[in-house]
Amino acid sequence: MSAANTMYTSDDPRSKLTSGSAVSGGAPVATGFGPSHYVMFGSTPPQIDDETGQTWFGRGQNFVVAYTRAKPGAVFERKGQADEYVLLIEDRDVPAVITANGQVEQVPGYAIVIVPPGKSSIALPEGGEIVRLFSRENGDVAALAANAAGYAVQQPNIPAYQTWPEPPGGYRIRPYSLDVPAQPGRFGRIWRCTTFMVNVFEPDGPRDTTKLSPHFHDDFEQCSLALGGSYVHHLRWPWTANQAEWRDDEHMVCPAPSIAVIPPKSIHTSASIAPQDNRLVDVFAPPRRDFSQMEGWVLNADDYPMPEA
């Protein structure tokens, strides 16, 4: 994404972005436009409803979001997990015990946890709301997504999926507290690993509609995960010489919990509309190069190197 592809206000930290493509390798040649996807968790039947609780799945081209309302004592195991996955717990009162490769980490809640490939488990002694993020390489969860049919074929303008370099210290459970104070010039609270970049925003009230941030991405999808409040996602596609490619504007209201998957090339911005407790998380797979190049934006940058240019 280049600075020319934005309409940010001058006080928006993203107005300082200057890199070209957000994904290594550059933007592919446009071949039409892909559609948006909206998956409403909670208000639709869950894909899993068993002794662990209820879990909904939605996906993008390179990722799967699993939203769970877990019962006390629930345990979520992964066997043969292809790569790193992410556990997000926004509630301060949802403790978890994560086990992998002989390592055990107890997390009190309000944390993001990177879990290594292979065999692992997440135990929730008191239950609660959690989110897990898996890459497209894990076909068992990808097949469960409510919108799986929309990704039966590769969507346009998205390069082939590539993970980022392995952490120098090797794979292990890496928990990070969400309790990070705001800092002028930094955009949200961003963590990355080999498979994902996750930006967890602070709770907020209604957005000032005179200070929206319409912009587009050349070569990757954005997943906006609402975990509190409600959002309107505004999307507009550019006109091309081929009228068959034109799409109507969208102004989709997505109450939490939900995801909006925003395709490349579409001009978009999101506005929180609930009186309070609007909580949004942006998800990207693989990580964004442009955000990673901004000094101080990625909070665990020392743990995960960037790929070579």
Side-chain angles (χ1 to χ4, degrees):
M1 182 180 64
S2 68
N5 295 346
T6 70
M7 287 173 267
Y8 299 125
T9 57
S10 60
D11 58 348
D12 189 315
R14 291 171 294 177
S15 64
K16 305 298 190 296
L17 293 170
T18 58
S19 64
S21 173
V23 177
S24 57
V29 175
T31 54
F33 304 109
S36 58
H37 288 259
Y38 305 98
V39 182
M40 308 299 173
F41 303 138
S43 60
T44 57
Q47 281 70 54
I48 294 177
D49 191 348
D50 59 15
E51 69 279 358
T52 64
Q54 295 181 318
T55 300
W56 291 259
F57 295 85
R59 68 165 296 181
Q61 185 66 67
N62 295 332
F63 60 87
V64 180
V65 179
Y67 170 83
T68 299
R69 293 172 177 168
K71 295 179 180 179
V75 178
F76 301 90
E77 292 187 332
R78 293 296 296 165
K79 298 178 181 179
Q81 169 70 23
D83 45 22
E84 286 186 310
Y85 70 100
V86 176
L87 167 66
L88 175 64
I89 307 175
E90 272 214 318
D91 196 320
R92 294 181 182 272
D93 299 318
V94 177
V97 181
I98 302 97
T99 304
N101 301 326
Q103 180 187 1
V104 179
E105 294 287 342
Q106 299 189 25
V107 176
Y110 201 56
I112 186 169
V113 185
I114 312 302
V115 187
K119 184 178 180 180
S120 63
S121 68
I122 298 168
L124 301 171
E126 299 179 19
E129 179 187 74
I130 66 168
V131 173
R132 288 166 294 158
L133 306 174
F134 301 98
S135 84
R136 63 178 292 172
E137 301 302 307
N138 298 278
D140 60 327
V141 290
L144 291 171
N147 61 332
Y151 292 94
V153 298
Q154 177 80 16
Q155 295 300 297
N157 303 306
I158 303 175
Y161 177 67
Q162 291 184 322
T163 58
W164 276 30
E166 295 183 12
Y171 290 119
R172 61 181 178 84
I173 303 169
R174 288 183 165 84
Y176 305 97
S177 172
L178 297 182
D179 199 1
V180 177
Q183 181 176 323
R186 194 186 72 220
F187 183 59
R189 295 171 291 177
I190 300 174
W191 291 267
R192 72 172 183 238
C193 62
T194 57
T195 49
F196 282 96
M197 172 175 281
V198 183
N199 192 358
V200 185
F201 295 98
E202 292 281 359
D204 205 355
R207 187 170 185 181
D208 183 349
T209 56
T210 68
K211 294 184 178 181
L212 299 179
S213 55
H215 62 285
F216 69 87
H217 311 300
D218 282 325
D219 51 12
F220 65 94
E221 288 179 316
Q222 173 176 315
C223 175
S224 288
L225 164 66
L227 291 177
S230 187
Y231 288 82
V232 180
H233 299 291
H234 303 282
L235 278 72
R236 169 170 289 180
W237 282 261
W239 287 359
T240 67
N242 182 358
Q243 187 175 344
E245 295 178 346
W246 295 5
R247 292 177 177 270
D248 293 337
D249 290 355
E250 295 181 4
H251 307 280
M252 178 63 73
V253 178
C254 290
S258 63
I259 60 170
V261 183
I262 300 165
K265 308 293 186 182
S266 62
I267 301 169
H268 61 276
T269 190
S270 298
S272 51
I273 57 174
Q276 59 186 4
D277 197 37
N278 294 289
R279 290 179 283 124
L280 195 69
V281 179
D282 280 347
V283 176
F284 307 95
R288 289 178 62 162
R289 178 178 288 273
D290 57 349
F291 277 16
S292 294
Q293 290 173 329
M294 299 298 289
E295 184 68 29
W297 278 28
V298 179
L299 297 170
N300 66 335
D302 289 343
D303 293 340
Y304 287 94
M306 291 178 59
E308 295 182 2

